[in-house]
Amino acid sequence: MKSTEEVFEILKGRFGDAISELVTGQPAESYFSVSPKEINKICFYLRDTEELLFDNLMNLSGVDDDNGEKKTAEDGSFTTFGGTLSVFYHLESTSLKHKVTIRVSVPRETPELESVAEVWRCADWHEREAYDLIGFNFLNHPDLRRILMPYDWEAGHPLRKDYKNPEFYQGMKVPY
Amino acid sequence: MGLLDKQLNDGNIVITKVEDLLNWARLSSVWQVGFGLACCAIEMMATSASHYDFDRFGVIPRPSPRQSDVIIISGTVTLKMALRVKRLYEQMPDPKYVISMGSCSNCGGPYWEHGYHVLKGVDRVIPVDVYVPGCPPRPEALLEGLLKLQEKIRNESIVKKSA
């Protein structure tokens, strides 16, 4: 059993600057941040190292951090510039019975990070969902298509804070 | 009604209007498309099962829209599904009927404001004959909806075009 702090120290010793910002003492679980370009390497290490053995990706979810600069239009809608979007990874080791939470933040304008679908196969659909609803670009993903919204949905990614729903889709009126 | 309330006094001859006979045959065997969308579909299946027994009104789920007379839109119609619902409806032979079951398919239901993915009422893509309110409607409510549909069919005319 390793605590988040211990996992953080192990990774810090091995990967250095790619690991940062350990957040503890919150009501929710502790987490630390990982660089978007190295998340797949680090996940391989987390899965295969003897003392960690994180064999289960319990969940992968996307968050719009809503920390950019907002420009409000006349109709009350707003567009966000700058700030970050984040992906959270919840890992578990079924043999060693420990868990860890990892955060990867990417800039809103270029939300690119490495895919972990090669590390845990279940990440494939989770990443497709995060791409569909928030709009992350998972590099080296085997099949990065929309999974929930229609394939020809052109209005963007609905769970972004500055998302605007279209008037029409395929000739059907969308608003109430 | 014509057929049933006439006394069979003249041996085995029954006198009725062709229109009444056709309507009676039609309303007594409204076969539905075996198709469900969301939680309303669970109530619809309960209505089909032995306790409420849809079959006593002549409603049998058919595995193909080409053999069906009525499509019960039982649940949330997403924009992605709306195109498929429309295609199913178009594949049904005339005369065909639509029962919109539950708030979602009536008007978008709880998704009316923030449901970026939900069609706000199935009547935006196909014409609806009977709306059944509820979230989800109880089997009794769906049965009432079916009786309303039967009433509508009973008053149809082969001369006048139906709505």
Side-chain angles (χ1 to χ4, degrees):
Chain A
M1 283 267 292
K2 291 264 189 290
S3 67
T4 304
E5 287 82 353
E6 287 168 312
V7 176
F8 176 76
E9 287 309 321
I10 293 170
L11 291 180
K12 194 83 186 154
R14 164 99 191 182
F15 293 97
D17 288 343
I19 316 292
S20 60
E21 199 199 0
L22 175 67
V23 178
T24 53
Q26 288 187 309
E29 67 267 49
S30 310
Y31 63 85
F32 54 84
S33 293
V34 166
S35 137
K37 291 288 150 63
E38 273 157 282
I39 179 69
N40 61 335
K41 262 191 291 173
I42 289 162
C43 284
F44 268 123
Y45 182 79
L46 283 165
R47 188 190 70 179
D48 296 333
T49 307
E50 198 96 334
E51 52 181 345
L52 298 172
L53 290 180
F54 286 103
D55 53 351
N56 182 18
L57 174 65
M58 293 191 294
N59 191 27
L60 183 158
S61 54
V63 178
D64 183 344
D65 295 319
D66 201 21
N67 51 5
E69 190 190 328
K70 283 178 192 163
K71 292 225 171 86
T72 310
E74 277 175 25
D75 61 353
S77 69
F78 62 86
T79 313
T80 314
F81 296 93
T84 55
L85 307 171
S86 296
V87 179
F88 280 84
Y89 302 78
H90 294 257
L91 308 181
E92 185 210 15
S93 169
T94 51
S95 50
L96 302 177
K97 310 287 179 206
H98 54 204
K99 294 174 183 171
V100 76
T101 306
I102 300 173
R103 172 184 185 167
V104 173
S105 291
V106 289
R108 173 181 287 272
E109 273 69 31
T110 50
E112 288 181 351
L113 66 159
E114 284 291 329
S115 165
V116 297
E118 262 184 61
V119 189
W120 300 283
R121 205 61 189 85
C122 70
D124 184 339
W125 282 19
H126 281 126
E127 288 181 348
R128 280 179 65 186
E129 185 182 350
Y131 157 72
D132 190 355
L133 300 180
I134 309 266
F136 297 98
N137 183 10
F138 291 97
L139 304 169
N140 299 319
H141 186 281
D143 179 29
L144 197 63
R145 285 178 296 143
R146 286 188 184 274
I147 190 170
L148 296 169
M149 300 299 286
Y151 297 133
D152 58 349
W153 190 254
E154 283 166 354
H157 306 283
L159 291 193
R160 286 205 186 182
K161 297 287 183 194
D162 60 348
Y163 173 76
K164 283 181 258 326
N165 224 13
E167 276 296 307
F168 285 92
Y169 166 70
Q170 294 258 343
M172 297 178 285
K173 190 168 166 246
V174 178
Y176 182 71
Chain B
M1 184 73 193
L3 267 179
L4 295 182
D5 50 10
K6 282 244 162 44
Q7 292 276 323
L8 299 177
N9 289 333
D10 318 328
N12 48 11
I13 295 174
V14 178
I15 298 171
T16 181
K17 288 189 282 181
V18 175
E19 207 164 70
D20 285 346
L21 179 70
L22 286 177
N23 286 347
W24 172 73
R26 199 167 277 161
L27 70 87
S28 306
S29 63
V30 273
W31 291 356
Q32 70 171 107
V33 187
F35 160 81
L37 283 179
C39 30
C40 279
I42 304 294
E43 293 297 298
M44 187 185 72
M45 287 183 269
T47 318
S48 282
S50 52
H51 190 86
Y52 290 96
D53 195 12
F54 236 169
D55 197 6
R56 67 197 154 124
F57 300 100
V59 180
I60 315 171
R62 299 299 301 181
S64 160
R66 299 189 194 283
Q67 302 169 347
S68 311
D69 306 294
V70 64
I71 182 168
I72 301 177
I73 310 297
S74 52
T76 314
V77 185
T78 59
L79 291 165
K80 204 175 178 180
M81 195 67 200
L83 303 169
R84 279 79 175 168
V85 167
K86 194 175 170 198
R87 176 171 297 178
L88 276 177
Y89 176 76
E90 283 165 355
Q91 284 176 343
M92 290 164 63
D94 273 316
K96 50 191 171 185
Y97 305 94
V98 178
I99 296 179
S100 165
M101 180 184 182
S103 297
C104 290
S105 114
N106 289 345
C107 63
Y111 310 101
W112 71 277
E113 191 174 13
H114 298 295
Y116 52 84
H117 60 305
V118 174
L119 184 71
K120 312 299 187 304
V122 76
D123 50 7
R124 291 189 181 184
V125 288
I126 55 176
V128 174
D129 293 284
V130 177
Y131 296 87
V132 180
C135 187
R138 282 196 51 86
E140 292 92 330
L142 183 59
L143 286 175
E144 166 109 34
L146 179 80
L147 293 177
K148 287 276 177 221
L149 180 66
Q150 291 190 329
E151 206 175 295
K152 183 173 177 172
I153 300 173
R154 183 170 291 135
N155 294 317
E156 270 181 5
S157 160
I158 50 173
V159 195
K160 266 189 298 187
K161 206 173 176 303
S162 63

